[in-house]
Amino acid sequence: MRKKRVLFVINNLSAGGAEKALVSLLHEWDYARYDVDLLLFSPTGLFLDQVPDAVRLLPAPKAFRFFDMPITQVLRHALTHFDFAPLWARLRMKNALRGSYPATVREQLTWPCIAPVIPALDEPYDAAIAYLQKTPIYYIVDKVEAPVKIGFIHNDYQHLQLRAGLDRPYFAQLQVLASISESCVHILKETFPDLASRIHLKYNMISKSMIQRLAEAPITEDFDGLTVVSIGRLQSQKAFDQAIDSCALLVAKGYRFRWYIIGEGPDRPMLEEKIKAQGLEQVFILLGLRANPYPYLQKATVYAQPSRYEGKSIAIDEAKVLGKPIVVTNYPSARDQITHRVNGLIVDMSAEAVAATLAQLLDDAALRSQLTENLRQEASVGKEELTKLYHWIENATL
């Protein structure tokens, strides 16, 4: 019997939760049953080397490069090659983006401008899966021939500040619109009640054995004493600016510890300035990206997720695998992963509340041990989530 052909589409394989989840999924995939192609708009990212050999990596659409380069280079290309379509697309994009829009909406407004110069894929597929919101979904709808199209939303749709009116015509052409937590699915159904029947839950997969194995790797940083670790992109969503305030409160009370942040992003200059202003250079430490964050998690006293909002945090699931006591702020989807005082602590979204709860955990070794023991007894998300995806590929219809 012919193996079905499945296409996954995502922007790149940078150090984000969706990207990490996709790589984990591909490591568990049944390649005897399905052939897999992967299309990246930019073939870059921390996880690129972790893509299994069984996955065929397609060439990135060349036209995307015109929207990252200076417009003078686009003009030069147009005059040299008598190819003016990318230049007109850039001019349309400039006009569409007049005004002040969130970055997410800017991406939504960009697609109609650039779509005419993005070629469709020549090869048909049995299923096309956009593993991230916005452009990957628009691409599989407009540029891929497949009877089954599945899109993923990897965050709280309302907090993304997306314009539902721009997404609705694309979502209406998907057989399945999946999201990664109960609260995220609920928000999607509230936002798109007419599409509720095709909105489904699919948890992100993580490989417990892989995490435990990679956690044994050596690290060069000094992790003696009490340590807090957080993982996330350096941007407002993750609230590391507020975490600095929590750190300062703990230091003022005499706590001797270090708080390590693993991640990179646009807020680094602001965070560095705030760290310096509060004299926390030796305490609140921005480590940058790490291809393997698990040894840091393994050695942490506490894992903290001080976010303003999340979809379903992969980092929390990874901390759970390693049995780390977890502090998480009370964003809407927090209870999809954490039961307060059972497998972690949920706190109010303020610097004072985070500091007080971290102080409690740093002081109370018995509480830390109890949370760790509870986590050891907790079942992790397994291959049943892959079975769900296989079912959609085989049976999803409009």
Side-chain angles (χ1 to χ4, degrees), residues 83-252:
D83 176 18
F84 288 88
L87 180 61
W88 304 145
R90 281 293 295 267
L91 294 174
R92 287 195 301 271
M93 190 171 81
K94 182 179 180 181
N95 185 60
L97 298 179
R98 291 183 187 278
S100 177
Y101 302 103
T104 50
V105 174
R106 291 176 68 86
E107 186 174 341
Q108 287 184 294
L109 295 172
T110 293
W111 177 251
C113 303
I114 71 175
V117 301
I118 305 295
L121 277 186
D122 294 332
E123 303 178 59
Y125 289 87
D126 295 290
I129 302 171
Y131 212 71
L132 198 62
Q133 56 272 0
K134 297 176 290 182
T135 305
I137 290 178
Y138 310 150
Y139 181 87
I140 68 164
V141 168
D142 286 347
K143 304 297 180 178
V144 180
E145 181 185 341
V148 174
K149 296 182 179 182
I150 299 168
F152 276 81
I153 307 295
H154 272 268
N155 222 317
D156 177 327
Y157 189 85
Q158 291 179 354
H159 274 96
L160 289 172
Q161 298 180 278
L162 293 165
R163 290 187 174 180
L166 297 177
D167 276 339
R168 179 172 277 102
Y170 286 94
F171 291 174
Q173 296 181 69
L174 300 173
Q175 280 68 37
V176 174
L177 179 61
S179 199
I180 57 175
S181 74
E182 288 87 349
S183 62
C184 288
V185 166
H186 176 73
I187 287 165
L188 278 174
K189 288 183 176 181
E190 274 193 338
T191 309
F192 302 97
D194 51 318
L195 303 176
S197 63
R198 67 188 72 177
I199 297 172
H200 299 283
L201 171 67
K202 185 197 167 298
Y203 294 119
N204 281 329
M205 287 183 63
I206 58 173
S207 174
K208 188 172 182 178
S209 60
M210 182 184 74
I211 290 170
Q212 291 170 335
R213 173 175 52 83
L214 291 174
E216 300 305 318
I219 59 175
T220 57
E221 287 81 6
D222 175 15
F223 259 65
D224 293 335
L226 297 173
T227 56
V228 178
V229 167
S230 300
I231 299 174
R233 183 167 166 76
L234 305 185
Q235 61 183 21
S236 176
Q237 174 188 349
K238 302 300 181 180
F240 293 137
D241 54 328
Q242 186 169 275
I244 295 170
D245 295 331
S246 300
C247 184
L249 290 170
L250 287 166
V251 170

